[in-house]
Amino acid sequence: MNFGQLITAMVTPFDEQGEIDFPAARNLINHLIENGSDALVVAGTTGESPTLTNEEKVNLFEFTVQVAGGRFPVIAGTGSNNTRESIQLTQQAEAAGVDGIMLVTPYYNKPSQEGMYQHFKTIAQASSLPIMLYNIPGRSSVNMSPDTIIRLADIPNIVAVKEASGDLDAMADIIEHTPADFALYSGDDGLTLPVLSIGGAGVVSVSAHIIGPEMKTMMSHFNSGRIREASTLHRRMLPIMKELFAAPNPSPVKAALNLEGVAVGGVRLPMLPLTDVQLSSLNRVLHGQDTILI
């Protein structure tokens, strides 16, 4: 399964009552695809998965598949720290027609490397869908080692990893020792170009909500050997990328979308909207967005 280079981890739009706003979701999905996204991750951390019920997640999977209409892959976030629950949600996502699933490392209960291996292997055996692993030690408190990821890559339907450890040496090790068709994606927007340079497949991005066309242009430059142009654009995008993580994700990117006229509503507790000071800073950075294209 080829998920493409630029995968957006989509926010979940909410209405004024804090319920999923499906008309706004339709508009957002089309906005993202029109602005360069090759695929979407639905109900990941950026989609506020910890605050969505499983019923809400399944409804969102079904809706996104319907809007996609086969135009682009839909990747469902079905991972948790409960193996049985992840299997159940994965099977519901498969029934909803998604094209792949993303499984985060089990958080809070802090399994061993062997425990993580068995967790992912057991879920993979319960589904025929292609699976993207998601290593994010900053949120899950456990780091999946390169050796564990390399072992998991031998399982036929585990086809990719979203690597958000920030460790380029570990990523190079994974790329070097996994099959040629196993894809490593950066989990950090600011490392997109460095990850491409060591053989990565692309990025699972938050910033693509706002600067998708620019990120796609940077990747196109890199792919065609225009390294100087790619690196210049990368550096010019960094202030926006940093600002979109100046407060806990996804509060800044939701605020940015609202400022840009793509209504997605607010966030659910325990996330908070940006303060006036944070919103003012975000607005200043976004006003310089038009100058980053080359």
Side-chain angles (χ1 to χ4, degrees):
M1 180 70 195
N2 184 358
F3 295 127
Q5 275 200 305
L6 182 59
I7 303 172
T8 301
M10 188 179 79
V11 303
T12 300
F14 296 130
D15 62 21
E16 292 182 359
Q17 288 71 46
E19 302 299 322
I20 297 177
D21 187 334
F22 286 101
R26 181 184 299 276
N27 182 54
L28 174 63
I29 291 164
N30 288 321
H31 165 79
L32 292 174
I33 297 306
E34 289 163 6
N35 282 276
S37 297
D38 297 317
L40 302 180
V41 172
V42 182
T45 312
T46 303
E48 296 176 75
S49 59
T51 71
L52 296 175
T53 67
N54 280 1
E55 182 181 3
E56 287 177 316
K57 290 176 185 178
V58 173
N59 289 340
L60 197 54
F61 299 156
E62 291 173 343
F63 180 81
T64 308
V65 167
Q66 176 208 337
V67 175
R71 293 179 295 158
F72 54 87
V74 176
I75 305 166
T78 62
S80 74
N81 61 348
N82 182 330
T83 307
R84 290 185 177 185
E85 185 176 275
S86 293
I87 289 171
Q88 181 182 39
L89 186 57
T90 295
Q91 291 172 340
Q92 289 175 296
E94 190 162 4
V98 303
D99 302 285
I101 60 169
M102 188 171 74
L103 300 175
V104 69
T105 44
Y107 40 86
Y108 189 72
N109 41 12
K110 297 184 75 171
S112 65
Q113 294 298 317
E114 184 63 24
M116 283 187 274
Y117 176 82
Q118 294 297 336
H119 169 80
F120 291 122
K121 178 182 177 182
T122 302
I123 299 170
Q125 289 174 335
S127 174
S128 63
L129 288 173
I131 292 169
M132 178 184 291
L133 307 172
Y134 181 15
N135 186 37
I136 181 162
R139 282 185 182 265
S140 68
S141 84
V142 290
N143 182 50
M144 187 160 46
S145 72
D147 286 346
T148 301
I149 295 170
I150 291 163
R151 283 180 70 200
L152 286 164
D154 286 334
I155 297 171
N157 59 328
I158 296 183
V159 300
V161 62
K162 175 185 176 183
E163 179 54 67
S165 67
D167 186 341
L168 286 168
D169 288 349
M171 294 185 221
D173 190 19
I174 293 163
I175 294 166
E176 179 67 19
H177 294 101
T178 50
D181 57 356
F182 183 85
L184 183 142
Y185 289 89
S186 174
D188 297 292
D189 285 312
L191 289 181
T192 303
L193 188 57
V195 167
L196 288 177
S197 75
I198 61 169
V203 63
V204 180
S205 173
V206 174
S207 302
H209 283 90
I210 305 300
I211 50 173
E214 292 86 347
M215 294 183 74
K216 204 64 181 283
T217 298
M218 178 186 71
M219 291 179 170
S220 177
H221 286 332
F222 178 83
N223 294 339
S224 62
R226 299 174 65 191
I227 307 303
R228 186 182 298 274
E229 290 90 340
S231 59
T232 298
L233 188 49
H234 168 79
R235 295 192 301 272
R236 290 179 179 176
M237 287 189 291
L238 281 176
I240 294 173
M241 292 175 176
K242 289 180 180 178
E243 193 66 27
L244 290 175
F245 289 93
N249 181 48
S251 297
V253 70
K254 277 193 154 182
L257 284 163
N258 290 327
L259 286 170
E260 295 293 296
V262 182
V264 293
V267 290
R268 284 181 175 175
L269 286 169
M271 295 292 104
L272 291 174
L274 298 188
T275 65
D276 289 344
V277 171
Q278 290 169 329
L279 196 60
S280 176
S281 176
L282 176 65
N283 208 4
R284 282 197 304 273
V285 172
L286 289 180
H287 276 153
Q289 178 181 341
D290 292 340
T291 67
I292 70 173
L293 280 173
I294 56 174

